Amino acid sequence: MMVLRSYALRSLVLLAVSAPVLAQNADEALLKAAVGQYAERSEPDVQVAVRLSGNTLTMEGERARRVALKPEGGSFTTEGSNQAVEFTRDSNGKVTGLTVARGNMHVAYDKIGDAPVTVSHYRPYTRTEAMIPARDGVKLHVVILRPEGSEKSGEPLPVLMSRTPYGAGGSSDMVNGSKPELAASGYIFVYADIRGRYGSEGQFVMNRPVVHKYGDRTDPKLVDESSDTYDTVEWLVKNLPNNNGRVGVLGVSYPGFLAMMAGVDHHPAVKAISPQAPMTDVWMGDDFFHNGAFRETYGFDYVQQLERAKDDQRVSMNDDLFEWFLKNRNFEGAAKAAGMDHLPTAKAFLTQPSYTKFWRDMAVQARLTQIEVPTLEVGGWWDQEDMWGTQAEYAALRPHDSKKDKQHAVFMVLGPWNHGGWGLTSRHLGAVDFGAPAGDQYRKTIEAPFFELYLKDKPGFDLKDTASFRTGENQWHRYDVWPPKTGFKTAKLYLAPQKSVSFAAPKGDDKSSVVTYVADPANPVPYRARPIQSTYGNGSKWRQWLVEDQRFVTSRNDTAVFESPVLDKDTTIAGDIVADLFASTTGSDADWVVKLIDVYPDDAPAPMAGYQLMIVDEIFRGRYNKSFEKPQAITPNQVTEFKWSLHGADHTFKKGHRIMVQVQSSWFPLYDRNPQTFVENIMTAPADAYKPQTQSIYFSAAHPSHLEVLVPAE
């Protein structure tokens, strides 16, 4: 739901400046020595140029305006900001790099050339604010940014809007930093506080369901995010000077949900939308539940953040949350300890843990029965919050996009990103290097051309359907539909004897084809390395946990690990990866977690030597095997088939790597502990319900546990 925005600085260790620093009284020769091109050490595609104008050094980036560097003490400060810049030199006086610092954030750059190359495309914008009346009289707060001079220039510009619960900010630096290509082209950017948040009046309702009748907006009492968007757009096109009557809407996460609402019973002026990592169904597969398993730490933190006050109330606890949630037993105990059990969504967690009408009404996908406006869905392979929504919305919309007399209107991009990572340069995610600035490539070749086409009639958008960054191979691919059909065939990756995996089906009915482990709720498997911080707390590793090296858990005795021999050729899988697991438990309820992992060779370059990288992974709560609406106990000691999606992938396991499949029965404390004894409501489960149970995974011909995948057709 939350997206980290850091366009100029990212945290890293400050350079140890033992070499001389270019000082305040530097002579002309030393100033000239600073001129050149610099690349960020952690993300080398992020570059800045330093130039000399007279006796003044200037610095600029592709996303940042040119600023003068003013001598101050032993370093420089950037004009109009509190950024400090220090140049480092070697013993011969040659400038080798610079460090930019703001507060506790420090970014190191290496000098890569003496000739400055980067040119800023920065375009200045002016800011105004307005309160827009909705149909029921509630006023909604918006921030409006438009290119300087455009109000009187006569140039008609489209509106590009984002609606948010996180506070409608806005400045020249923000639009140029976050959307440099679109900012340079020129749009009227609008940032809107949704009902009940920050500057907007009214009552906030989490993922407010659509309540008005489709096509009927006559009842002013029936308000929802679709109607609020409609009213906002109506005011904007009537009141903003020199707008061209076209509106685009985009957003990431909760704003992604709001972007989709702009395309449901849309205002005629809305011509294009881009829901990016949208919250689509928070019970089925997005933020609060996955296949019935409750995302305890996330629900705990996020509900307090949004429902305690009109502004954000971040949770940042000093405890190791693994121990804290274990101590409080279940969500009822945790909610009472935090004094949050009265908050609306927390009450829904406690009283409606199954897929009730309350959760189904919030879900978006069932309403997507037609494509009203061109739609660009965007998601990341390692999205820690809303992986499900992007692919679910595309899947709901795509069948309505096949009429021959109709222009194609639904598109999807899937890349090597975490939640919202496409807003950055994105060559790296954690320790993983993708060999290309995938975020920059996406924005320049897909996102910007998409809005340029539909809002300005400019050619250049050539995506036919889906663009996918194939990881491992680290190349973009384009498909006519997702999952891809042409060039691929269905295959099964089986769990096999000797704890191996194989594309060959098991033969015979060997009763020894079973692996068992004891799952103890008192010692659950952590979902990331401890200590586990609050989701958005200080020092939290939440944003990158899906690419964390899994060696910290694969050696535990409460997991079942299956691993292939070393691959003798590249092996590509794609599509929606489905786990088909035959398992039994001595208990009457169980959770199943399946991970597909790429195991790097031990001689791979650091830091990837022996690395275990999750490619897809997902949990399933056993009580929902027959119905998400009506949970049922599992029959103890009976082999049962459990089948669920691990989500999409497009990945090449390189020659010399291994393929690993891991099965476990807890993922704590992101997911609450299953007592493994069936109770009506796990949120309030008593202490004596939590019992160790023996879990068995079968892989015989009679019970062929496997993953369904797509592989290239030969």
Side-chain angles (χ1 to χ4, degrees):
M1 294 179 185
M2 289 295 296
V3 182
L4 178 64
R5 295 297 190 194
S6 179
Y7 305 107
L9 294 171
R10 279 185 290 276
S11 295
L12 49 87
V13 178
L14 177 61
L15 281 175
V17 186
S18 56
V21 174
L22 197 60
Q24 177 177 355
N25 298 320
D27 59 26
E28 183 178 354
L30 291 181
L31 291 175
K32 288 182 178 179
V35 171
Q37 188 76 4
Y38 297 78
E40 185 181 322
R41 185 165 297 171
S42 62
E43 284 289 353
D45 302 289
V46 178
Q47 299 186 7
V48 296
V50 175
R51 293 177 169 85
L52 183 60
S53 178
N55 292 321
T56 302
L57 288 175
T58 66
M59 185 172 68
E60 62 191 286
E62 186 177 10
R63 302 185 186 212
R65 58 190 171 90
R66 180 179 294 185
V67 294
L69 301 182
K70 294 184 176 183
E72 185 173 300
S75 61
F76 295 83
T77 58
T78 55
E79 185 180 29
S81 76
N82 59 351
Q83 288 187 149
V85 179
E86 290 189 347
F87 293 90
T88 56
R89 295 185 289 141
D90 62 19
S91 59
N92 296 319
K94 183 179 180 180
V95 173
T96 57
L98 64 84
T99 300
V100 181
R102 177 186 290 158
N104 293 324
M105 296 183 69
H106 304 84
V107 180
Y109 291 78
D110 294 319
K111 192 173 184 182
I112 60 173
D114 293 331
V117 177
T118 296
V119 176
S120 173
H121 300 291
Y122 190 97
R123 185 170 184 175
Y125 278 70
T126 58
R127 170 182 168 132
T128 57
E129 299 184 45
M131 296 295 290
I132 296 176
R135 65 196 57 202
D136 63 345
V138 166
K139 292 182 178 178
L140 305 174
H141 172 249
V142 299
V143 172
I144 302 162
L145 296 166
R146 61 184 309 147
E148 284 187 4
S150 64
E151 195 167 350
K152 298 179 180 178
S153 69
E155 177 189 5
L157 294 176
V159 174
L160 195 55
M161 180 170 68
S162 293
R163 302 180 65 244
T164 178
Y166 303 124
S171 65
S172 270
D173 288 349
M174 191 190 84
V175 296
N176 282 278
S178 62
K179 299 294 180 188
E181 300 82 14
L182 295 168
S185 176
Y187 286 78
I188 302 171
F189 290 92
V190 174
Y191 299 93
D193 289 326
I194 63 171
R195 181 179 292 256
R197 295 291 290 168
Y198 284 83
S200 288
E201 300 173 351
Q203 180 185 6
F204 170 70
V205 175
M206 186 85 74
N207 294 97
R208 184 186 292 269
V210 174
V211 293
H212 78 275
K213 294 181 180 179
Y214 204 94
D216 180 4
R217 299 185 179 276
T218 58
D219 189 342
K221 295 181 181 179
L222 296 180
V223 295
D224 47 43
E225 299 299 353
S226 171
S227 69
D228 279 352
T229 305
Y230 191 104
D231 295 346
T232 302
V233 171
E234 179 78 0
W235 188 93
L236 293 171
V237 296
K238 287 183 176 180
N239 290 277
L240 293 183
N242 291 342
N243 78 82
N244 72 355
R246 300 187 194 184
V247 178
V249 185
L250 77 164
V252 178
S253 196
Y254 202 120
F257 156 71
L258 298 166
M260 191 69 252
M261 288 296 97
V264 174
D265 201 6
H266 72 293
H267 189 285
V270 175
K271 301 300 182 183
I273 62 172
S274 182
Q276 303 181 357
M279 293 172 68
T280 300
D281 189 326
V282 295
W283 193 95
M284 192 61 69
D286 284 322
D287 300 273
F288 296 144
F289 296 82
H290 280 207
N291 297 310
F294 177 53
R295 285 161 64 91
E296 185 168 40
T297 52
Y298 200 84
F300 178 85
D301 287 359
Y302 191 73
V303 167
Q304 292 184 76
Q305 179 182 332
L306 261 67
E307 293 186 343
R308 279 198 184 277
K310 285 192 71 174
D311 59 354
D312 281 7
Q313 300 289 312
R314 295 290 181 92
V315 175
S316 187
M317 300 169 64
N318 294 324
D319 309 68
D320 178 352
L321 295 188
F322 187 97
E323 293 292 346
W324 193 87
F325 279 95
L326 200 62
K327 177 182 67 176
N328 284 287
R329 192 171 75 230
N330 54 30
F331 184 69
E332 180 184 47
K336 287 182 177 179
M340 63 171 292
D341 49 334
H342 66 288
L343 299 177
T345 305
K347 290 169 68 175
F349 293 156
L350 289 166
T351 60
Q352 302 191 61
S354 299
Y355 197 39
T356 62
K357 184 178 183 298
F358 174 84
W359 301 111
R360 296 195 301 272
D361 285 349
M362 293 169 67
V364 175
Q365 69 274 15
R367 301 185 182 278
L368 305 183
T369 58
Q370 58 179 310
I371 301 171
E372 300 186 34
V373 296
T375 302
L376 176 65
E377 298 277 354
V378 184
W381 296 129
W382 288 282
D383 190 318
Q384 74 279 8
E385 294 170 31
D386 296 297
M387 161 67 80
W388 194 87
T390 298
Q391 296 173 53
E393 289 188 357
Y394 170 87
L397 288 169
R398 187 60 176 79
H400 307 292
D401 197 20
S402 58
K403 294 182 180 178
K404 294 181 179 180
D405 60 343
K406 189 177 178 182
Q407 185 179 1
H408 193 66
V410 60
F411 310 92
M412 184 166 65
V413 180
L414 298 167
W417 304 305
N418 61 355
H419 193 59
W422 47 93
L424 302 173
T425 296
S426 308
R427 178 180 288 268
H428 298 91
L429 181 58
V432 187
D433 185 342
F434 300 111
D440 287 350
Q441 292 172 341
Y442 151 72
R443 290 191 323 279
K444 292 177 179 180
T445 65
I446 299 177
E447 182 183 77
F450 172 77
F451 285 111
E452 291 281 276
L453 173 63
Y454 291 110
L455 301 184
K456 291 188 173 183
D457 293 325
K458 291 185 177 181
F461 180 69
D462 61 358
L463 182 60
K464 292 182 179 180
D465 189 280
T466 296
S468 165
F469 189 94
R470 182 177 296 166
T471 52
E473 178 189 288
N474 293 340
Q475 296 288 333
W476 284 100
H477 290 262
R478 295 196 173 195
Y479 302 112
D480 293 336
V481 68
W482 183 267
K485 294 181 179 179
T486 304
F488 286 85
K489 63 180 181 180
T490 301
K492 295 181 179 181
L493 182 64
Y494 293 94
L495 307 187
Q498 286 78 54
K499 295 185 178 180
S500 183
V501 296
S502 173
F503 285 103
K507 297 179 180 179
D509 192 12
D510 185 354
K511 293 183 179 180
S512 66
S513 295
V514 59
V515 169
T516 64
Y517 59 87
V518 175
D520 185 356
N523 183 28
V525 181
Y527 81 99
R528 56 182 165 109
R530 296 175 60 187
I532 297 175
Q533 306 84 9
S534 299
T535 306
Y536 304 117
N538 294 330
S540 177
K541 299 177 182 178
W542 163 252
R543 291 179 174 88
Q544 298 180 354
W545 80 269
L546 283 173
V547 295
E548 185 173 351
D549 189 342
Q550 293 300 294
R551 281 179 289 186
F552 80 100
V553 291
T554 49
S555 61
R556 289 176 61 112
N557 59 11
D558 53 357
T559 63
V561 179
F562 301 81
E563 189 174 19
S564 75
V566 173
L567 298 175
D568 59 6
K569 63 179 181 179
D570 289 357
T571 303
T572 296
I573 62 164
D576 185 37
I577 313 302
V578 176
D580 195 342
L581 190 70
F582 290 86
S584 67
T585 176
T586 55
S588 51
D589 199 0
D591 286 350
W592 307 107
V593 178
V594 172
K595 308 173 184 175
L596 176 62
I597 296 171
D598 186 340
V599 181
Y600 284 65
D602 291 337
D603 60 355
M608 302 306 293
Y611 204 94
Q612 295 179 3
L613 174 66
M614 288 194 296
I615 304 304
V616 289
D617 43 84
E618 190 54 283
I619 191 170
F620 187 89
R621 182 144 285 176
R623 62 173 47 212
Y624 296 110
N625 199 35
K626 294 182 179 180
S627 169
F628 288 122
E629 291 81 10
K630 298 179 180 180
Q632 297 180 31
I634 298 172
T635 302
N637 300 308
Q638 178 176 299
V639 181
T640 303
E641 183 178 15
F642 302 91
K643 191 172 183 179
W644 72 100
S645 171
L646 306 184
H647 309 299
D650 195 355
H651 180 76
T652 297
F653 296 85
K654 302 295 287 185
K655 179 181 177 180
H657 290 220
R658 296 174 184 263
I659 300 173
M660 176 185 287
V661 176
Q662 181 180 331
V663 184
Q664 60 195 53
S665 292
S666 54
W667 229 2
F668 187 74
L670 175 56
Y671 294 94
D672 64 340
R673 296 177 302 152
N674 192 319
Q676 304 184 141
T677 303
F678 185 84
V679 293
E680 288 298 319
N681 187 346
I682 291 178
M683 304 285 182
T684 60
D688 60 3
Y690 293 85
K691 296 180 179 179
Q693 302 292 351
T694 299
Q695 321 290 49
S696 299
I697 312 300
Y698 299 85
F699 42 93
S700 65
H703 302 116
S705 294
H706 63 273
L707 303 184
E708 295 179 4
V709 301
L710 294 178
V711 297
E714 297 178 356

